[in-house]
Structure formats: structure tokens, C-alpha cells
Amino acid sequence: MAELINAMQQEIRRLWVELGIPAAPVTSLLESAEDSKRRENANHFPSFATYMEADVSADTHVLERLEQEKDALDQRLARVKPILKKIEQRQQLIEDRMELEELKKDPQRLLGRQGMKQRKKEEEMEKRIRQKLPTLTERLIQDLREWQQDNDGEAFMYEGRPYLETIEESDRSFRQYRAQQARTRAQRRQQDRENTRRTSQVGTIRTAGRPLQAAHMCELFTGLRRRGL
């Protein structure tokens, strides 16, 4: 019995990972958080986390409870697989986008023998992100809203938070990041212009006497010729 219970606990944990559910949630898919708290307070049975403990009693009731939870997780996984696939694709595109941003920070990356190859790689990454990310995000948002409507307002949770909020936060963070990068580039260009202006002023001061000196030598030479020297 103990081995069966342990195997069922491991299977449930695997399903948690696949569903993006944080480890050891207090509640079960078979009941709401309010129901779980009310039943626990009434001493009807403990919270579901208790059934996942290593030292849980090895009896038929525990095994049946774990089997019920596994069945519920299996059913949920079958329903949400299309959404999870889109989430996985979007997460990968987000990672690629940040990788591209980091690459662009290195001004030396396009120099040397590998410069053309690197430029082509970046262009392909940028094209893929530009074409796929907005469309995928739009479809995912639609799926998440439909899920919420079909489940009495329940938000689609992923890694412990509503994934609609994750999308909004990541988009806002990236806009802020790009704005900061633009300000940094503008400040750098302004500094470069200022440095160029100062260098130009120094060069003008150093060479200012040279035209006058050349004119003086020309005048002296002309005077000597007139004197027959």
C-alpha cells in the first residue's frame, strides 16, 4: 500500500509540473479553496497537502483520494494542452527576444570574419519574433478569456498566477526596457557629439596660427625676389 501511495504522489507531482501548478498546492482540483478551508476547520478532513506528505498514513482512503486527484489532473491536462502549448511557444519567443536585445548591446559582434553570419542570425531571429509573437499572444489571450468564461470566471493559472496578468506584466516590462534602452542610446549619441565638438575646438586652436605663418613666409620670399636676392 505504501508503495502505491508513493507512486501516486509522484505521478501527481509530475502532472503539477506539466500543468504549471506550484509544488504542493494546499487545495485540490476537486474543490474550491473556500470549500477546502471550511472542511478543514470543521475537521471533516485535512487539506490536500496532507495527502502528499511522505509520512501520510498508508490506508485505502488516502490511496482513493490520491487516485481521484490524479484523475482530475488528467482531465484538466487534456483540456488545457492547447493553451499550454501556446504558453510554451510564447515563453520561448520571449526568451529569444531578450537574447536578441542582449546581442545588440555588443557593438563588436558584427566585426571580424563572423560578422556577416552573426548579422544573418539576428535578422532571422528578429523576423521570426516580429511575425510570430504578436499573433501568438493575441490568440493566447483569446483562449485565456474563453477559458475564464467557460469556468465561471476562474482565471487560467500558470506557475501560481493568472497567465493573463503574466502577459500584461511581461509586455509592460519590455516596453519599459525598450524605452530605457532608447534613452541610453540617445544619451550616448549626445555624449559622442559633445566629445566630437570639443575635439574639433582643440584642433582649431592648435592649427589657427599655421595659415598666418605660411602667409608671412610667402610675403618674405616675394620681398627677397624683388631685391634680387
mmCIF file of all heavy atoms in Angstrom, residues 140-168:
data_model
loop_
_atom_site.group_PDB
_atom_site.id
_atom_site.type_symbol
_atom_site.label_atom_id
_atom_site.label_comp_id
_atom_site.label_asym_id
_atom_site.label_seq_id
_atom_site.Cartn_x
_atom_site.Cartn_y
_atom_site.Cartn_z
ATOM 1 N N LEU A 140 -3.531 33.585 -27.792
ATOM 2 C CA LEU A 140 -3.460 33.065 -26.428
ATOM 3 C C LEU A 140 -4.370 33.848 -25.499
ATOM 4 O O LEU A 140 -5.067 33.268 -24.662
ATOM 5 C CB LEU A 140 -2.014 33.117 -25.937
ATOM 6 C CG LEU A 140 -1.743 32.608 -24.522
ATOM 7 C CD1 LEU A 140 -2.266 31.186 -24.333
ATOM 8 C CD2 LEU A 140 -0.253 32.668 -24.218
ATOM 9 N N ILE A 141 -4.386 35.150 -25.641
ATOM 10 C CA ILE A 141 -5.270 35.980 -24.818
ATOM 11 C C ILE A 141 -6.730 35.598 -25.055
ATOM 12 O O ILE A 141 -7.528 35.494 -24.114
ATOM 13 C CB ILE A 141 -5.038 37.476 -25.123
ATOM 14 C CG1 ILE A 141 -3.678 37.913 -24.569
ATOM 15 C CG2 ILE A 141 -6.152 38.324 -24.525
ATOM 16 C CD1 ILE A 141 -3.298 39.325 -24.930
ATOM 17 N N GLN A 142 -7.075 35.360 -26.317
ATOM 18 C CA GLN A 142 -8.442 34.949 -26.634
ATOM 19 C C GLN A 142 -8.778 33.610 -25.972
ATOM 20 O O GLN A 142 -9.862 33.449 -25.395
ATOM 21 C CB GLN A 142 -8.613 34.845 -28.149
ATOM 22 C CG GLN A 142 -10.018 34.445 -28.588
ATOM 23 C CD GLN A 142 -10.154 34.390 -30.106
ATOM 24 O OE1 GLN A 142 -9.265 34.803 -30.830
ATOM 25 N NE2 GLN A 142 -11.273 33.865 -30.571
ATOM 26 N N ASP A 143 -7.854 32.655 -26.045
ATOM 27 C CA ASP A 143 -8.079 31.350 -25.411
ATOM 28 C C ASP A 143 -8.234 31.486 -23.901
ATOM 29 O O ASP A 143 -9.083 30.822 -23.287
ATOM 30 C CB ASP A 143 -6.909 30.411 -25.717
ATOM 31 C CG ASP A 143 -6.885 29.964 -27.159
ATOM 32 O OD1 ASP A 143 -7.882 30.189 -27.880
ATOM 33 O OD2 ASP A 143 -5.850 29.400 -27.584
ATOM 34 N N LEU A 144 -7.412 32.333 -23.285
ATOM 35 C CA LEU A 144 -7.469 32.508 -21.840
ATOM 36 C C LEU A 144 -8.785 33.154 -21.409
ATOM 37 O O LEU A 144 -9.355 32.786 -20.362
ATOM 38 C CB LEU A 144 -6.287 33.352 -21.374
ATOM 39 C CG LEU A 144 -4.903 32.708 -21.539
ATOM 40 C CD1 LEU A 144 -3.803 33.726 -21.227
ATOM 41 C CD2 LEU A 144 -4.754 31.479 -20.650
ATOM 42 N N ARG A 145 -9.277 34.089 -22.195
ATOM 43 C CA ARG A 145 -10.555 34.730 -21.867
ATOM 44 C C ARG A 145 -11.710 33.760 -22.047
ATOM 45 O O ARG A 145 -12.666 33.761 -21.250
ATOM 46 C CB ARG A 145 -10.736 35.975 -22.726
ATOM 47 C CG ARG A 145 -9.819 37.127 -22.310
ATOM 48 C CD ARG A 145 -9.893 38.288 -23.266
ATOM 49 N NE ARG A 145 -9.091 39.409 -22.777
ATOM 50 C CZ ARG A 145 -8.775 40.477 -23.512
ATOM 51 N NH1 ARG A 145 -9.213 40.563 -24.774
ATOM 52 N NH2 ARG A 145 -8.046 41.444 -22.992
ATOM 53 N N GLU A 146 -11.635 32.930 -23.071
ATOM 54 C CA GLU A 146 -12.683 31.922 -23.270
ATOM 55 C C GLU A 146 -12.666 30.905 -22.138
ATOM 56 O O GLU A 146 -13.727 30.473 -21.662
ATOM 57 C CB GLU A 146 -12.470 31.219 -24.613
ATOM 58 C CG GLU A 146 -12.786 32.099 -25.811
ATOM 59 C CD GLU A 146 -12.512 31.402 -27.119
ATOM 60 O OE1 GLU A 146 -12.061 30.231 -27.099
ATOM 61 O OE2 GLU A 146 -12.774 31.996 -28.191
ATOM 62 N N TRP A 147 -11.459 30.522 -21.700
ATOM 63 C CA TRP A 147 -11.348 29.607 -20.564
ATOM 64 C C TRP A 147 -12.019 30.206 -19.341
ATOM 65 O O TRP A 147 -12.759 29.524 -18.624
ATOM 66 C CB TRP A 147 -9.873 29.321 -20.270
ATOM 67 C CG TRP A 147 -9.621 28.694 -18.937
ATOM 68 C CD1 TRP A 147 -9.475 29.325 -17.730
ATOM 69 C CD2 TRP A 147 -9.553 27.291 -18.646
ATOM 70 N NE1 TRP A 147 -9.289 28.410 -16.719
ATOM 71 C CE2 TRP A 147 -9.329 27.158 -17.249
ATOM 72 C CE3 TRP A 147 -9.624 26.141 -19.426
ATOM 73 C CZ2 TRP A 147 -9.201 25.928 -16.637
ATOM 74 C CZ3 TRP A 147 -9.483 24.907 -18.806
ATOM 75 C CH2 TRP A 147 -9.278 24.806 -17.440
ATOM 76 N N GLN A 148 -11.786 31.477 -19.108
ATOM 77 C CA GLN A 148 -12.346 32.136 -17.936
ATOM 78 C C GLN A 148 -13.868 32.182 -18.018
ATOM 79 O O GLN A 148 -14.559 31.975 -17.014
ATOM 80 C CB GLN A 148 -11.769 33.549 -17.814
ATOM 81 C CG GLN A 148 -11.991 34.204 -16.468
ATOM 82 C CD GLN A 148 -11.044 35.368 -16.244
ATOM 83 O OE1 GLN A 148 -10.046 35.519 -16.941
ATOM 84 N NE2 GLN A 148 -11.356 36.199 -15.280
ATOM 85 N N GLN A 149 -14.391 32.432 -19.196
ATOM 86 C CA GLN A 149 -15.845 32.462 -19.372
ATOM 87 C C GLN A 149 -16.460 31.079 -19.174
ATOM 88 O O GLN A 149 -17.540 30.945 -18.574
ATOM 89 C CB GLN A 149 -16.187 32.989 -20.770
ATOM 90 C CG GLN A 149 -15.872 34.461 -20.975
ATOM 91 C CD GLN A 149 -16.123 34.904 -22.404
ATOM 92 O OE1 GLN A 149 -16.489 34.105 -23.258
ATOM 93 N NE2 GLN A 149 -15.938 36.188 -22.667
ATOM 94 N N ASP A 150 -15.763 30.053 -19.671
ATOM 95 C CA ASP A 150 -16.299 28.694 -19.587
ATOM 96 C C ASP A 150 -16.150 28.086 -18.197
ATOM 97 O O ASP A 150 -16.717 27.013 -17.927
ATOM 98 C CB ASP A 150 -15.583 27.783 -20.602
ATOM 99 C CG ASP A 150 -15.877 28.190 -22.042
ATOM 100 O OD1 ASP A 150 -16.864 28.903 -22.258
ATOM 101 O OD2 ASP A 150 -15.099 27.794 -22.938
ATOM 102 N N ASN A 151 -15.389 28.734 -17.318
ATOM 103 C CA ASN A 151 -15.131 28.184 -15.991
ATOM 104 C C ASN A 151 -15.571 29.141 -14.895
ATOM 105 O O ASN A 151 -14.884 29.296 -13.868
ATOM 106 C CB ASN A 151 -13.646 27.843 -15.841
ATOM 107 C CG ASN A 151 -13.235 26.654 -16.687
ATOM 108 O OD1 ASN A 151 -13.329 25.506 -16.258
ATOM 109 N ND2 ASN A 151 -12.792 26.918 -17.902
ATOM 110 N N ASP A 152 -16.708 29.781 -15.108
ATOM 111 C CA ASP A 152 -17.333 30.630 -14.090
ATOM 112 C C ASP A 152 -16.399 31.706 -13.569
ATOM 113 O O ASP A 152 -16.337 31.968 -12.357
ATOM 114 C CB ASP A 152 -17.836 29.775 -12.917
ATOM 115 C CG ASP A 152 -18.879 28.756 -13.362
ATOM 116 O OD1 ASP A 152 -19.684 29.091 -14.251
ATOM 117 O OD2 ASP A 152 -18.867 27.623 -12.841
ATOM 118 N N GLY A 153 -15.625 32.323 -14.481
ATOM 119 C CA GLY A 153 -14.753 33.428 -14.092
ATOM 120 C C GLY A 153 -13.416 33.010 -13.536
ATOM 121 O O GLY A 153 -12.623 33.872 -13.124
ATOM 122 N N GLU A 154 -13.130 31.702 -13.496
ATOM 123 C CA GLU A 154 -11.845 31.228 -12.969
ATOM 124 C C GLU A 154 -10.720 31.587 -13.930
ATOM 125 O O GLU A 154 -10.753 31.229 -15.105
ATOM 126 C CB GLU A 154 -11.881 29.708 -12.778
ATOM 127 C CG GLU A 154 -10.552 29.123 -12.337
ATOM 128 C CD GLU A 154 -10.523 27.607 -12.425
ATOM 129 O OE1 GLU A 154 -11.606 27.006 -12.637
ATOM 130 O OE2 GLU A 154 -9.431 27.029 -12.293
ATOM 131 N N ALA A 155 -9.727 32.297 -13.442
ATOM 132 C CA ALA A 155 -8.577 32.665 -14.276
ATOM 133 C C ALA A 155 -7.714 31.433 -14.543
ATOM 134 O O ALA A 155 -7.603 30.546 -13.694
ATOM 135 C CB ALA A 155 -7.751 33.745 -13.582
ATOM 136 N N PHE A 156 -7.109 31.400 -15.721
ATOM 137 C CA PHE A 156 -6.197 30.305 -16.044
ATOM 138 C C PHE A 156 -4.885 30.561 -15.316
ATOM 139 O O PHE A 156 -4.196 31.547 -15.583
ATOM 140 C CB PHE A 156 -5.954 30.227 -17.551
ATOM 141 C CG PHE A 156 -5.158 29.016 -17.965
ATOM 142 C CD1 PHE A 156 -5.806 27.850 -18.338
ATOM 143 C CD2 PHE A 156 -3.765 29.051 -17.973
ATOM 144 C CE1 PHE A 156 -5.092 26.727 -18.711
ATOM 145 C CE2 PHE A 156 -3.039 27.932 -18.348
ATOM 146 C CZ PHE A 156 -3.700 26.776 -18.710
ATOM 147 N N MET A 157 -4.540 29.648 -14.421
ATOM 148 C CA MET A 157 -3.353 29.818 -13.599
ATOM 149 C C MET A 157 -2.166 29.083 -14.218
ATOM 150 O O MET A 157 -2.301 27.975 -14.715
ATOM 151 C CB MET A 157 -3.607 29.287 -12.193
ATOM 152 C CG MET A 157 -4.826 29.880 -11.510
ATOM 153 S SD MET A 157 -4.628 31.649 -11.165
ATOM 154 C CE MET A 157 -3.401 31.583 -9.852
ATOM 155 N N TYR A 158 -1.006 29.744 -14.151
ATOM 156 C CA TYR A 158 0.227 29.117 -14.610
ATOM 157 C C TYR A 158 1.363 29.597 -13.725
ATOM 158 O O TYR A 158 1.557 30.803 -13.561
ATOM 159 C CB TYR A 158 0.507 29.467 -16.070
ATOM 160 C CG TYR A 158 1.688 28.707 -16.659
ATOM 161 C CD1 TYR A 158 1.545 27.386 -17.084
ATOM 162 C CD2 TYR A 158 2.937 29.299 -16.764
ATOM 163 C CE1 TYR A 158 2.621 26.684 -17.604
ATOM 164 C CE2 TYR A 158 4.020 28.609 -17.293
ATOM 165 C CZ TYR A 158 3.853 27.298 -17.711
ATOM 166 O OH TYR A 158 4.918 26.595 -18.219
ATOM 167 N N GLU A 159 2.058 28.655 -13.122
ATOM 168 C CA GLU A 159 3.143 28.956 -12.184
ATOM 169 C C GLU A 159 2.663 29.856 -11.051
ATOM 170 O O GLU A 159 3.348 30.777 -10.616
ATOM 171 C CB GLU A 159 4.334 29.578 -12.904
ATOM 172 C CG GLU A 159 4.988 28.622 -13.900
ATOM 173 C CD GLU A 159 6.218 29.199 -14.560
ATOM 174 O OE1 GLU A 159 6.440 30.424 -14.436
ATOM 175 O OE2 GLU A 159 6.960 28.430 -15.194
ATOM 176 N N GLY A 160 1.448 29.575 -10.608
ATOM 177 C CA GLY A 160 0.945 30.228 -9.407
ATOM 178 C C GLY A 160 0.259 31.564 -9.593
ATOM 179 O O GLY A 160 -0.105 32.199 -8.609
ATOM 180 N N ARG A 161 0.058 32.009 -10.851
ATOM 181 C CA ARG A 161 -0.604 33.296 -11.058
ATOM 182 C C ARG A 161 -1.397 33.260 -12.357
ATOM 183 O O ARG A 161 -1.093 32.464 -13.257
ATOM 184 C CB ARG A 161 0.414 34.433 -11.081
ATOM 185 C CG ARG A 161 1.389 34.360 -12.237
ATOM 186 C CD ARG A 161 2.333 35.527 -12.245
ATOM 187 N NE ARG A 161 1.623 36.798 -12.283
ATOM 188 C CZ ARG A 161 2.213 37.973 -12.389
ATOM 189 N NH1 ARG A 161 3.529 38.033 -12.445
ATOM 190 N NH2 ARG A 161 1.518 39.070 -12.428
ATOM 191 N N PRO A 162 -2.429 34.123 -12.486
ATOM 192 C CA PRO A 162 -3.188 34.168 -13.735
ATOM 193 C C PRO A 162 -2.274 34.517 -14.912
ATOM 194 O O PRO A 162 -1.553 35.515 -14.848
ATOM 195 C CB PRO A 162 -4.224 35.269 -13.483
ATOM 196 C CG PRO A 162 -4.335 35.354 -11.990
ATOM 197 C CD PRO A 162 -2.969 35.041 -11.463
ATOM 198 N N TYR A 163 -2.325 33.717 -15.967
ATOM 199 C CA TYR A 163 -1.376 33.954 -17.056
ATOM 200 C C TYR A 163 -1.710 35.226 -17.839
ATOM 201 O O TYR A 163 -0.823 35.816 -18.450
ATOM 202 C CB TYR A 163 -1.319 32.760 -18.007
ATOM 203 C CG TYR A 163 -0.088 32.799 -18.866
ATOM 204 C CD1 TYR A 163 1.160 32.524 -18.314
ATOM 205 C CD2 TYR A 163 -0.142 33.168 -20.202
ATOM 206 C CE1 TYR A 163 2.311 32.600 -19.075
ATOM 207 C CE2 TYR A 163 1.010 33.239 -20.976
ATOM 208 C CZ TYR A 163 2.228 32.956 -20.409
ATOM 209 O OH TYR A 163 3.377 33.043 -21.161
ATOM 210 N N LEU A 164 -2.941 35.669 -17.798
ATOM 211 C CA LEU A 164 -3.261 36.957 -18.419
ATOM 212 C C LEU A 164 -2.458 38.077 -17.753
ATOM 213 O O LEU A 164 -1.977 38.996 -18.430
ATOM 214 C CB LEU A 164 -4.759 37.256 -18.313
ATOM 215 C CG LEU A 164 -5.659 36.668 -19.410
ATOM 216 C CD1 LEU A 164 -7.122 36.906 -19.088
ATOM 217 C CD2 LEU A 164 -5.305 37.245 -20.778
ATOM 218 N N GLU A 165 -2.311 38.008 -16.439
ATOM 219 C CA GLU A 165 -1.506 39.002 -15.735
ATOM 220 C C GLU A 165 -0.033 38.881 -16.125
ATOM 221 O O GLU A 165 0.676 39.892 -16.233
ATOM 222 C CB GLU A 165 -1.658 38.824 -14.221
ATOM 223 C CG GLU A 165 -3.036 39.166 -13.692
ATOM 224 C CD GLU A 165 -3.105 39.036 -12.186
ATOM 225 O OE1 GLU A 165 -2.045 38.787 -11.548
ATOM 226 O OE2 GLU A 165 -4.219 39.173 -11.626
ATOM 227 N N THR A 166 0.425 37.652 -16.331
ATOM 228 C CA THR A 166 1.814 37.442 -16.742
ATOM 229 C C THR A 166 2.075 38.089 -18.097
ATOM 230 O O THR A 166 3.122 38.727 -18.307
ATOM 231 C CB THR A 166 2.126 35.933 -16.834
ATOM 232 O OG1 THR A 166 1.929 35.340 -15.544
ATOM 233 C CG2 THR A 166 3.558 35.698 -17.279
ATOM 234 N N ILE A 167 1.128 37.945 -19.016
ATOM 235 C CA ILE A 167 1.276 38.567 -20.338
ATOM 236 C C ILE A 167 1.338 40.084 -20.214
ATOM 237 O O ILE A 167 2.209 40.745 -20.807
ATOM 238 C CB ILE A 167 0.115 38.148 -21.258
ATOM 239 C CG1 ILE A 167 0.215 36.653 -21.594
ATOM 240 C CG2 ILE A 167 0.104 38.985 -22.540
ATOM 241 C CD1 ILE A 167 -0.934 36.130 -22.424
ATOM 242 N N GLU A 168 0.416 40.649 -19.449
ATOM 243 C CA GLU A 168 0.383 42.106 -19.285
ATOM 244 C C GLU A 168 1.678 42.617 -18.660
ATOM 245 O O GLU A 168 2.234 43.636 -19.095
ATOM 246 C CB GLU A 168 -0.822 42.497 -18.423
ATOM 247 C CG GLU A 168 -2.167 42.228 -19.083
ATOM 248 C CD GLU A 168 -3.330 42.467 -18.136
ATOM 249 O OE1 GLU A 168 -3.062 42.824 -16.961
ATOM 250 O OE2 GLU A 168 -4.490 42.297 -18.555
#
